[in-house]
Amino acid sequence: MVRIRVLVVDDHRIFAESLAAALAAEPDVEVSAAGSGPAALRSLERAAGEGRRFDVLLVDADLGGAMPGIRPAPPVQEVGEDGLVDGISLVAGVRSAQPAVRTVVLAEKDDPRRAALALQAGASGWVAKDCSLSRLLTVIRGVLRDETHLPPALLTGVLRELTAARKHRTESERLVESLTPREREVLRCMVAGLGRKAVAERLFLSPHTVRTHMQNVLGKLGVHSTLAAVALARRAGVGPVDLTPPTRILPEATTSA
């Protein structure tokens, strides 16, 4: 019998253990539990190293705490300070590190915006925490067949959020295209979190010149802060500059005969 290896990730210990026990009663399911994002990542890495990868992760949507080294999923509307440093961030990290693993988000309540974020991050399903065990097993087996599972009541809202996201991305891309190549380079540095002095050192420019470029970037993007510029850049698909220390190429010395 082919067994399905499931990892339950929830920081509510009683819920995680209860769900794990219920799933473990199924003859074709092997289940483990983790109480945090970092613990889940360690379990994934250890299982992969032993040649026993997990098939499905069940991730609490409200999993607490930021995930070090994992970039949050891109927002549908705007970057908020409420952050996306929760279960959705873990979904994005797992999608990047182990794309064969299917993730299903477990939620206390239906939320079209966060469900859309979960799908964008790479989740294959969104189900209520209080759904029946038979429903959850149907979702688990379905995502392994590359199906996407959402509650019917969420479909309209999720489609609306994803449509709005595409519209925002198109507008953001148009604004980014108005930048000069140098301004785009400066914007990528801003996305990487570099300050004016660090950008100047990296691009071999004076701080005054970098300040002018940054002001031009904000003006052309129609925003008033670096944070807003970074949010718009991410919507447009602009990634951070490679932070590997640059090397300056010097002209070769010439010798006269």
Side-chain angles (χ1 to χ4, degrees), residues 126-203:
W126 175 284
V127 296
K129 277 191 169 184
D130 60 358
C131 74
S132 66
L133 180 61
S134 61
R135 167 62 181 163
L136 183 57
L137 287 168
T138 296
V139 171
I140 289 172
R141 295 187 171 106
V143 298
L144 289 175
R145 296 191 296 267
D146 290 328
E147 298 172 0
T148 299
H149 284 257
L150 286 172
L154 273 183
L155 288 176
T156 299
V158 169
L159 288 174
R160 182 167 54 245
E161 292 289 344
L162 293 175
T163 299
R166 284 194 293 270
K167 179 181 177 183
H168 279 286
R169 182 179 178 90
T170 300
E171 293 173 351
S172 300
E173 288 173 342
R174 178 179 56 79
L175 290 170
V176 168
E177 287 174 357
S178 71
L179 303 179
T180 66
R182 176 62 84 182
E183 289 165 352
R184 291 181 198 176
E185 197 171 11
V186 169
L187 178 60
R188 292 185 64 212
C189 290
M190 295 164 66
V191 172
L194 299 182
R196 188 188 309 166
K197 182 179 178 182
V199 175
E201 292 175 351
R202 178 172 189 83
L203 301 182

Side-chain angles (χ1 to χ4, degrees), residues 3 11 40 57 67 84 98 103 112 130 135 159 211 224 234 245-246:
R3 297 177 67 82
D11 49 12
L57 258 67
M67 298 297 302
L84 301 166
Q98 296 193 27
T103 56
D130 60 358
R135 167 62 181 163
L159 288 174
R211 180 173 181 271
H224 302 287
R234 285 176 173 163

Side-chain angles (χ1 to χ4, degrees), residues 183-251:
E183 289 165 352
R184 291 181 198 176
E185 197 171 11
V186 169
L187 178 60
R188 292 185 64 212
C189 290
M190 295 164 66
V191 172
L194 299 182
R196 188 188 309 166
K197 182 179 178 182
V199 175
E201 292 175 351
R202 178 172 189 83
L203 301 182
F204 306 109
L205 300 172
S206 71
H208 175 75
T209 300
V210 170
R211 180 173 181 271
T212 299
H213 283 313
M214 286 184 167
Q215 288 176 337
N216 290 340
V217 168
L218 297 184
K220 290 183 178 181
L221 297 184
V223 296
H224 302 287
S225 69
T226 297
L227 181 61
V230 169
L232 188 150
R234 285 176 173 163
R235 283 201 301 270
V238 176
V241 69
D242 182 2
L243 293 180
T244 302
T247 56
R248 194 166 189 175
I249 301 175
L250 300 176

Side-chain angles (χ1 to χ4, degrees), residues 31-89:
V31 61
S32 300
S36 68
L41 291 176
R42 289 193 295 271
S43 294
L44 284 169
E45 292 173 0
R46 183 167 57 251
E50 295 172 353
R52 301 174 65 249
R53 293 181 182 272
F54 285 98
D55 301 301
V56 178
L57 258 67
L58 301 179
V59 181
D60 177 18
D62 298 314
L63 192 68
M67 298 297 302
I70 293 181
R71 206 178 310 161
V76 170
Q77 296 286 343
E78 190 63 69
V79 172
E81 291 194 3
D82 52 356
L84 301 166
V85 289
D86 51 19
I88 296 174
S89 295

